[in-house]
Amino acid sequence: YGISGKIIGIDLSQIELRVAALLSGERSMMDSYINNKDLHADRARSLWPNYDNAGEKERKSLRQVGKMMNFADLFLSSANTMREQVYALSGGTIDLPLDIYRKVVDTREEIRPQLTTWQKKLIQTARRDGKIELPFLGQSRHFSDISAERSEIVNFPVQTTASNLMMQIQSLLTQRLKGDLFNKMPSGGDPKLFLQIFDAVYIDCPIGLEDFVVKSFDHVMQHLVSDEGYWGML
């Protein structure tokens, strides 16, 4: 329509890991986030205590393994799965012995005690009730083969909660961007949220309204983390 503008993208940093930390009460993960530490580097240090003395290139590779270890913790991934995924994601440049990944699995309960305890309770609940039900919204998922669906059982609350949070952001942000300020603007002249991809939203923003869009997002997040908001309730 001849109106120039920008696309503003805003994403939720490491939202799955943050959700898992919140729901499980895992202290090691919460400490990293509260104190603005590098969670992936921290996980790498749990396997390589001399991480900080390594060269920059080696630290980058070890951090990539630490990142995979963090997500493997969420999904209860096996040593073989971790090795294959690290190798694939690194383009074949990181090929560590299987024993290293076995050590990750063997020490998982020690490194992430609250997380693994929470995961065991989820599996026990699925075995007892045949389903997992989430708080507040009442969403549930049924499971029939507990042994084969362990990863799905522990993953369901994490990904569903993260998705719920982003959908609430989408809804509240859309309402915010359709406020009285834009009722008087020409058609097509107001910011529009046009894409949501699980952990990020994208807004088509006319020139000059960038600050308003960012502040609107901040306003939505402040509500969500308040006592009345979804994140605050969790």
Side-chain angles (χ1 to χ4, degrees):
Y1 298 104
I3 299 175
S4 60
K6 296 181 179 180
I7 292 177
I8 298 177
I10 305 174
D11 70 277
L12 301 176
S13 172
Q14 299 182 9
I15 186 56
E16 291 173 289
L17 292 167
R18 292 177 189 272
V19 166
L22 178 69
L23 297 183
S24 69
E26 175 53 55
R27 296 188 185 95
S28 63
M29 297 171 73
M30 291 194 293
D31 176 69
S32 288
Y33 287 124
I34 291 171
N35 295 297
N36 293 316
K37 298 178 182 178
D38 186 335
L39 186 70
H40 300 328
D42 280 351
R43 192 66 175 94
R45 290 185 187 97
S46 71
L47 195 61
W48 294 284
N50 294 324
Y51 171 89
D52 294 303
N53 296 326
E56 182 179 353
K57 184 177 180 180
E58 185 179 2
R59 283 201 310 273
K60 184 177 180 179
S61 295
L62 297 181
R63 185 184 182 279
Q64 183 67 26
V65 177
K67 178 179 179 179
M68 178 54 64
M69 289 160 61
N70 277 326
F71 283 99
D73 290 341
L74 295 193
F75 307 138
L76 296 178
S77 299
S78 67
N80 284 320
T81 297
M82 277 188 282
R83 187 184 188 190
E84 292 170 2
Q85 291 182 347
V86 169
Y87 184 83
L89 291 173
S90 69
T93 61
I94 302 177
D95 187 15
L96 300 174
L98 186 60
D99 284 347
I100 288 180
Y101 296 104
R102 286 175 177 154
K103 183 178 179 181
V104 174
V105 175
D106 292 342
T107 60
R108 186 172 284 155
E109 192 167 351
E110 175 186 348
I111 301 299
R112 303 285 192 228
Q114 290 80 33
L115 177 64
T116 53
T117 296
W118 176 69
Q119 290 170 327
K120 288 178 182 178
K121 290 180 179 178
L122 288 172
I123 294 170
Q124 290 170 359
T125 299
R127 181 175 287 112
R128 183 190 68 228
D129 301 337
K131 68 176 182 177
I132 298 292
E133 184 172 320
L134 300 188
F136 307 122
L137 301 182
Q139 295 160 299
S140 64
R141 177 174 171 181
H142 289 261
F143 299 93
S144 57
D145 188 345
I146 305 304
S147 296
E149 296 176 313
R150 289 170 69 251
S151 294
E152 292 296 321
I153 291 169
V154 298
N155 187 33
F156 166 65
V158 173
Q159 288 204 335
T160 306
T161 299
S163 178
N164 287 342
L165 182 66
M166 182 51 76
M167 285 192 290
Q168 292 205 13
I169 290 172
Q170 176 183 348
S171 176
L172 293 171
L173 186 58
T174 298
Q175 294 175 37
R176 181 83 175 172
L177 296 180
K178 289 183 177 296
D180 293 337
L181 173 63
F182 301 111
N183 288 341
K184 300 177 182 178
M185 298 190 69
S187 176
D190 54 322
K192 291 182 175 63
L193 193 158
F194 69 93
L195 180 62
Q196 185 257 86
I197 51 172
F198 182 69
D199 64 349
V201 290
Y202 293 86
I203 300 99
D204 188 353
C205 178
I207 295 295
L209 295 176
E210 299 91 342
D211 286 346
F212 175 81
V213 169
V214 174
K215 288 178 180 178
S216 294
F217 185 87
D218 289 341
H219 177 86
V220 167
M221 290 304 299
Q222 288 171 14
H223 169 73
L224 289 174
V225 301
S226 70
D227 291 341
E228 295 79 24
Y230 181 55
W231 190 260
M233 292 169 66
L234 290 170

